[in-house]
Amino acid sequence: MSYAIYPSLSGKTVVITGGGSGIGAAMTGAFARQGARVFFLDVAENDSLALQESLRDAVHPPVFRRCDLRSVEAIQSTFAGIADIAGPIEVLVNNAGNDDRHELGAVTSTYWDECIAVNLKHQFFCAQAVAAGMRKLERGTILNLGSVSWHLALPNLAIYMSAKAGIEGLTRGLARELGDAGIRVNSIIPGAVRTPRQMQLWQSPESEAKVVASQCLRLRIEPEHVARMALFLASDDASRCSGRDYFVDAGWYGE
């Protein structure tokens, strides 16, 4: 099978958060194969270093940077370091997140803050870190990864779904604030994606079958399907797309 090549992505400086595994790893590889200069951030060093090694033959081999996105100071330092090396960041993919399940009665204030930091807060501050450079270029793309979970009201994910709902609001706010500089901001809403983490922790053959039966397309979603949407939205082919949510969920309307 062959897929689109986007000449406008060649040579662009791209930063992908949570880019060392799962959907993020698929995005790292997909942008690298388009000839982009990819920097990917993660705290999972083993997975990230293995991914970096596997892509060392790319035109611009992706570069791993360890960054704890819960720290605003770490975000600012890491993004400044990348800009010093590669110039203004032209594409930001806010992919990092953590969908750990939680029971209502067990949630503490500390856990709430942690979950919001991992799933929402960093998306704002990463966008803030690239905004000035994009304004100087008078162009740029920010892609925020949301989730279909809150659209379906899935169980044991109340804080995660709050964060993911907030991402869609954040996307609209950033699109309005940055649009005058030619910066486009969109969100991608994945459905049930078959990542190693999902298959290890949350899915069984029975639950998989239930999800597929609830989708309009009776097909499993792989990380590469989400990555392809990211490529399109980051490219000049999507030059009039901003402030919107793009679902990659095979038409999943309920459990």
Side-chain angles (χ1 to χ4, degrees):
M1 299 175 68
S2 62
Y3 300 104
I5 299 297
Y6 297 99
S8 60
L9 294 178
S10 180
K12 281 196 172 177
T13 300
V14 178
V15 173
I16 301 169
T17 70
S21 63
I23 294 172
M27 290 183 175
T28 296
F31 276 97
R33 285 187 285 273
Q34 296 284 334
R37 302 169 69 193
V38 180
F39 294 81
F40 65 102
L41 315 183
D42 215 309
V43 292
E45 294 194 33
N46 290 338
D47 287 344
S48 298
L49 291 172
L51 177 64
Q52 181 176 253
E53 175 63 18
S54 73
L55 295 169
R56 62 187 174 88
D57 292 331
V59 175
H60 301 291
V63 178
F64 165 55
R65 290 285 184 267
R66 191 185 190 285
C67 181
D68 186 343
L69 295 167
R70 296 171 298 180
S71 165
V72 175
E73 291 76 16
I75 290 171
Q76 293 169 341
S77 174
T78 301
F79 276 81
I82 292 170
D84 285 344
I85 295 169
I89 293 159
E90 297 164 276
V91 177
L92 166 65
V93 183
N94 274 321
N95 165 75
N98 186 314
D99 65 343
D100 282 350
R101 274 52 175 172
H102 41 267
E103 295 285 347
L104 179 64
V107 170
T108 64
S109 176
T110 299
Y111 183 84
W112 168 277
D113 291 342
E114 177 80 2
C115 194
I116 294 299
V118 168
N119 290 298
L120 175 61
K121 181 179 177 181
H122 68 85
Q123 295 209 9
F124 176 89
F125 285 100
C126 289
Q128 183 188 69
V130 302
M134 289 183 177
R135 281 192 177 278
K136 289 180 181 178
L137 293 174
E138 297 186 341
R139 69 177 189 276
T141 301
I142 298 172
L143 301 177
N144 300 323
L145 269 288
S147 170
V148 75
S149 60
W150 77 270
H151 293 273
L152 302 176
L154 298 182
N156 300 323
L157 284 169
I159 310 174
Y160 177 79
M161 292 192 296
S162 297
K164 291 299 184 177
I167 287 167
E168 293 183 33
L170 176 63
T171 295
R172 286 161 176 72
L174 292 175
R176 176 63 71 184
E177 290 200 28
L178 300 174
D180 63 344
I183 301 166
R184 300 185 294 106
V185 188
N186 290 293
S187 61
I188 299 174
I189 315 297
V193 183
R194 200 198 320 236
T195 65
R197 172 182 167 83
Q198 292 297 315
M199 300 311 297
Q200 180 181 0
L201 296 179
W202 314 127
Q203 294 289 0
S204 65
E206 294 75 22
S207 65
E208 255 197 307
K210 189 176 181 181
V211 168
V212 171
S214 299
Q215 297 174 172
C216 296
L217 299 175
R218 304 300 172 88
L219 301 168
R220 289 295 272 126
I221 304 164
E222 303 292 343
E224 65 185 44
H225 298 124
V226 185
R228 289 175 201 151
M229 177 64 81
L231 293 178
F232 166 70
L233 289 173
S235 76
D236 289 354
D237 291 53
S239 63
R240 297 300 183 269
C241 299
S242 194
R244 297 300 179 191
D245 312 315
Y246 294 85
F247 285 74
V248 186
D249 69 341
W252 187 14
Y253 288 108
E255 288 193 289

